[in-house]
Amino acid sequence: GAGVSQSPSNKVTEKGKDVELRCDPISGHTALYWYRQSLGQGLEFLIYFQGNSAPDKSGLPSDRFSAERTGGSVSTLTIQRTQQEDSAVYLCASSFQDNQPQHFGDGTRLSIL
Amino acid sequence: GDSVTQMEGPVTLSEEAFLTINCTYTATGYPSLFWYVQYPGEGLQLLLKATKADDKGSNKGFEATYRKETTSFHLEKGSVQVSDSAVYFCALFRSGNTGKLIFGQGTTLQVKP
């Protein structure tokens, strides 16, 4: 597709379960970003990939959060042992280079019961 | 650290009214500045940008001027429409800072017919 694609669009899971969120960036975009949008916290940066490397992981809130990117394309954000405070919309963005405007996906709405 | 402050919403206007959403920033160096818009049920879309002082970004009738002396990037539109109802986010990034976006809290705009 032409835009950033994220899946699933909605995810409901029980506290303590692991979840995986997927992002397909725009073809040819080398930079990929994960953000989290939650009530009271606004939009927060989580992690940045350049190719398959993650030079900036400073926004990951705890060691339960991890992410990887393969083939310079698809990225997966994994949250282990989910907690209720992890409930949020997780947004992925990509750009041609890290100094170019970012294009966002529609996000994954994660709800932890 | 870098930060962005937006006027609190919600902002409620009648159709054809003049819109201003204030945005100020704190950053070292010379950041690039952006306005993103999130329509109901949709993802973030880039509305406009400015990369250096005194640049004016414009799109869809919206304008914002990069004012370094006042560290501001206020969003304006001369005549709003009902279809402009959305959440507006001001954001910055600094080159050499991995390109991650620092967002303001967002301002909800509601335009009534």
Side-chain angles (χ1 to χ4, degrees):
Chain A
V4 177
S5 177
Q6 292 187 246
S7 61
S9 54
N10 284 283
K11 177 72 176 179
V12 181
T13 192
E14 293 179 347
K15 176 182 172 181
K17 300 287 188 183
D18 297 351
V19 295
E20 282 191 354
L21 312 179
R22 177 187 169 101
C23 173
D24 280 276
I26 293 172
S27 179
H29 281 193
T30 61
L32 186 147
Y33 304 80
W34 284 97
Y35 296 87
R36 180 167 71 173
Q37 186 176 20
S38 54
L39 289 176
Q41 297 297 320
L43 271 157
E44 305 170 283
F45 165 79
L46 297 177
I47 187 169
Y48 156 66
F49 286 93
Q50 178 58 245
N52 293 335
S53 301
D56 189 350
K57 306 178 183 179
S58 63
L60 294 178
S62 75
D63 58 7
R64 295 186 296 105
F65 287 72
S66 63
E68 65 174 10
R69 189 179 185 193
T70 56
S73 180
V74 172
S75 176
T76 303
L77 177 69
T78 301
I79 308 173
Q80 296 179 309
R81 305 181 302 282
T82 52
Q83 303 294 313
Q84 288 188 332
E85 61 263 28
D86 300 335
S87 295
V89 177
Y90 290 82
L91 295 169
C92 177
S94 70
S95 61
F96 184 66
Q97 295 177 352
D98 66 9
N99 62 351
Q100 298 297 312
Q102 295 175 26
H103 300 266
F104 284 79
D106 288 342
T108 294
R109 182 174 297 278
L110 177 63
S111 300
I112 309 299
L113 302 179
Chain B
D2 297 344
S3 65
V4 176
T5 302
Q6 290 179 236
M7 63 187 290
E8 287 194 22
V11 174
T12 303
L13 296 173
S14 297
E15 207 165 20
E16 299 184 1
F18 185 86
L19 169 71
T20 300
I21 300 178
N22 290 339
C23 171
T24 57
Y25 68 90
T26 302
T28 56
Y30 301 91
S32 294
L33 302 173
F34 303 85
W35 277 100
Y36 280 83
V37 58
Q38 188 173 36
Y39 297 103
E42 298 184 14
L44 279 168
Q45 300 176 26
L46 177 64
L47 181 59
L48 53 84
K49 67 181 175 80
T51 58
K52 61 183 187 295
D54 299 325
D55 268 2
K56 178 185 284 188
S58 61
N59 187 25
K60 299 181 180 179
F62 291 89
E63 293 183 339
T65 301
Y66 188 147
R67 300 287 189 199
K68 188 158 181 64
E69 64 275 15
T70 54
T71 62
S72 66
F73 193 54
H74 304 322
L75 182 68
E76 297 182 334
K77 186 174 185 181
S79 177
V80 293
Q81 306 299 311
V82 173
S83 57
D84 294 326
S85 298
V87 183
Y88 292 81
F89 292 91
C90 186
L92 70 82
F93 82 69
R94 286 190 290 113
S95 295
N97 193 30
T98 71
K100 67 185 178 189
L101 288 166
I102 307 296
F103 286 92
Q105 290 293 325
T107 302
T108 299
L109 170 66
Q110 184 177 21
V111 181
K112 296 187 173 180

